[in-house]
Amino acid sequence: AKQDGRNNFRFFTPEMQTHSVRILQLSSALRHALARNQLQLQYQPQVSIRDGRIIGAEALLRWQHPEFGLVSPAEFIPLAENNGQIVQIGEWVLNTATRQLKEWMDQGLPPMVMAVNLSAAQFRQPNLVDRVTRILGEAGLAHQYLELELTEAVAMHDPLAAIKTMDELHACGIHMSIDDFGTGYSSLSYFKRFKVYKLKIDQSFVRDITRDPDDKAIVTAIINLARSLGIRTIAEGVETSEQLAYLRQVGCDEVQGYYFSEPLPAESFAAYLKEQK
Ligand code: C2E
Ligand code: CA
Ligand code: CA
Ligand code: CA
């Protein structure tokens, strides 16, 4: 307890206490999530703005717990980062997503790219490239079909290390995209040294793009910057045809969002792909 004034001691408020209890409970339950088959992946289509074709999918983690219900990755990924579990979970995600894509391609579904989110701890692993290439080998999937999404904040946390890892991934044909771009205060001098295939324009800029002149200006600037560096762009969080029209007008390459589809369980995604075919 902290002394506050003369004889007032401030303790955790009930809300804070409930919150920290939940964190402890979730964090401990998460240790069993993999073994108990409580983790699942959903897939959200990434669409070419030019012809509307599905050219990729982003794998997004879901945790279904018997008591807590569906826990958002925004809540449990940070816990997994803290308790070190993220590396094991991240490997499971890579394994599952690459095998899933291989299965779809074997079934004759059109080839596309599988985008997988990479956590800070995974990105820092010294043998990351070996691990990823081993997983691709075991899945029987060519390197070109995997794309790793790394947030701008993680890339910029240690830019020199990021440059080295990106160089290694690039050298073995694995594409990197920078996630949540625009929120991480990139220094452009480092940025031009990143071997980046694609920028994901953060959804916070897309939300009001048709109304807010600042957001319009930022998105246009990002797309022009990417273009001049030979990097593709994808806008995330696209929910309306107006947003789509604007993004097309300013030359964005790809789009992802509820306007096309929410993240879908594997079977529904395959059905969606077949429908498009
Ligand atoms: P993210 O990588 O930026 O993923 C985009 C988030 O936006 C996803 O939330 C997605 O469901 C949501 N989204 C997609 N379209 C729309 C839209 O049109 N409107 C709105 N409002 N939202 C949309 P989700 O699935 O809850 O994931 C949240 C975050 O959790 C992800 O943000 C990512 O940072 C993290 N995450 C998810 N799966 C993984 C994973 O396998 N590994 C790691 N390290 N992180 C993951
Ligand atoms: Ca992502
Ligand atoms: Ca994002
Ligand atoms: Ca995000």
Side-chain angles (χ1 to χ4, degrees):
K2 221 169 110 181
Q3 198 163 7
D4 175 26
R6 245 181 336 148
N7 6 324
N8 294 323
F9 286 87
R10 259 201 293 154
F11 292 90
F12 282 134
T13 64
E15 297 76 40
M16 282 163 76
Q17 193 148 20
T18 315
H19 180 65
S20 55
V21 167
R22 178 176 165 89
I23 287 176
L24 284 175
Q25 288 175 332
L26 285 178
S27 186
S28 116
L30 191 57
R31 296 182 191 282
H32 308 291
L34 263 182
R36 294 181 187 167
N37 279 319
Q38 293 165 352
L39 296 184
Q40 266 186 16
L41 289 183
Q42 290 193 344
Y43 302 91
Q44 188 177 36
Q46 301 184 325
V47 175
S48 158
I49 215 165
R50 195 165 36 86
D51 55 14
R53 269 192 326 124
I54 298 172
I55 52 179
E58 179 177 6
L60 292 158
L61 252 182
R62 299 291 175 256
W63 179 20
Q64 182 72 51
H65 186 271
E67 277 167 55
F68 298 118
L70 191 64
V71 187
S72 162
E75 185 172 20
F76 74 81
I77 297 280
L79 302 181
E81 289 267 7
N82 282 332
N83 73 14
Q85 258 203 292
I86 192 69
V87 171
Q88 197 194 359
I89 292 177
E91 298 245 312
W92 179 85
V93 172
L94 271 169
N95 262 312
T96 309
T98 51
R99 280 158 202 252
Q100 183 64 73
L101 179 57
K102 178 68 164 65
E103 191 183 310
W104 284 334
M105 281 165 51
D106 286 348
Q107 288 169 8
L109 291 172
M112 57 168 199
V113 166
M114 182 63 78
V116 173
N117 292 285
L118 210 57
S119 72
Q122 278 179 290
F123 191 65
R124 277 198 305 268
Q125 287 186 299
N127 55 355
L128 172 73
V129 181
D130 292 343
R131 283 170 179 256
V132 173
T133 51
R134 182 178 44 77
I135 288 171
L136 281 166
E138 285 167 6
L141 193 69
H143 293 188
Q144 77 210 65
Y145 294 115
L146 176 67
E147 190 172 291
L148 296 174
E149 294 193 359
L150 184 73
T151 66
E152 185 189 16
V154 170
M156 277 298 154
H157 181 74
D158 186 351
L160 293 176
I163 288 168
K164 186 167 170 282
T165 306
M166 286 185 199
D167 282 348
E168 285 173 31
L169 286 166
H170 181 80
C172 63
I174 296 167
H175 287 158
M176 290 278 318
S177 61
I178 299 289
D179 205 353
D180 301 349
F181 191 78
T183 63
Y185 312 102
S186 265
S187 143
L188 294 179
S189 60
Y190 284 125
F191 189 71
K192 69 171 188 197
R193 294 167 64 191
F194 286 173
K195 294 267 184 0
V196 171
Y197 180 72
K198 205 194 275 182
L199 287 187
K200 291 195 87 168
I201 302 169
D202 191 68
Q203 47 187 292
S204 61
F205 303 114
V206 175
R207 197 170 303 129
D208 294 321
I209 201 179
T210 57
R211 289 185 296 268
D212 185 331
D214 294 339
D215 288 340
K216 275 190 183 180
I218 289 169
V219 169
T220 308
I222 292 174
I223 290 170
N224 290 336
L225 168 74
R227 246 218 199 127
S228 59
L229 296 171
I231 299 171
R232 290 177 70 80
T233 47
I234 179 166
E236 58 180 7
V238 178
E239 296 182 356
T240 68
S241 58
E242 290 78 20
Q243 291 167 333
L244 176 64
Y246 185 79
L247 289 161
R248 177 177 286 122
Q249 189 198 316
V250 292
C252 192
D253 298 307
E254 299 172 29
V255 275
Q256 179 182 346
Y258 298 160
Y259 179 70
F260 302 95
S261 169
E262 295 187 0
L264 299 170
E267 306 72 49
S268 320
F269 187 91
Y272 184 84
L273 259 185
K274 278 178 198 144
E275 218 173 275
Q276 301 273 302
K277 199 171 149 183

